[in-house]
Amino acid sequence: MAPQIETDFDEASDTVLLTARVVSEGARFVATVDGIDLEASGNSRDAAQESLVQNMRGWLERVDTTGKLAEALGVDWLEEETEIVLRFVDGDNENGTDSG
């Protein structure tokens, strides 16, 4: 069973939008993706985000080789051209960072 992932899929632009969060935990920052068991950390918010983007790329490649990427992302289908985007959310502030 796929995790509960909140995605926005726009067929017109062929984009899957995933929400990621960065929180401060003591002297480090931890980044996660909503609904996916991925985590990364760094000494700064930017370092945690970049580390999560790299982890996400590896996860996408691993899951894609199984042929179950669409299911894992909670969408009906994906095309080769589909763009997968991480949108980092910090409280009420949002900024998009492309993972692909």
Side-chain angles (χ1 to χ4, degrees):
M1 184 172 151
Q4 290 289 16
I5 301 172
E6 191 168 316
T7 60
D8 289 329
F9 181 68
D10 182 350
E11 286 186 48
S13 66
D14 210 15
T15 300
V16 175
L17 184 62
L18 302 170
T19 300
R21 301 176 190 281
V22 180
V23 296
S24 175
E25 289 187 359
R28 70 184 188 128
F29 292 87
V30 177
T32 58
V33 179
D34 290 359
I36 298 176
D37 190 22
L38 283 178
E39 181 178 293
S41 63
N43 294 328
S44 68
R45 184 171 306 281
D46 288 342
Q49 285 182 2
E50 183 58 34
S51 183
L52 183 64
V53 168
Q54 295 305 318
N55 288 352
M56 185 74 190
R57 284 183 176 143
W59 180 85
L60 291 168
E61 289 174 10
R62 284 190 306 278
V63 176
D64 190 35
T65 62
T66 68
K68 297 183 178 184
L69 184 56
E71 179 183 332
L73 292 174
V75 296
D76 292 332
W77 57 271
L78 294 173
E79 295 291 331
E80 206 47 49
E81 302 81 29
T82 301
E83 183 177 8
I84 299 171
V85 176
L86 287 178
R87 176 183 60 197
F88 285 92
V89 178
D90 178 30
D92 291 332
N93 300 325
E94 298 182 5
N95 64 62
T97 300
D98 186 349
S99 70

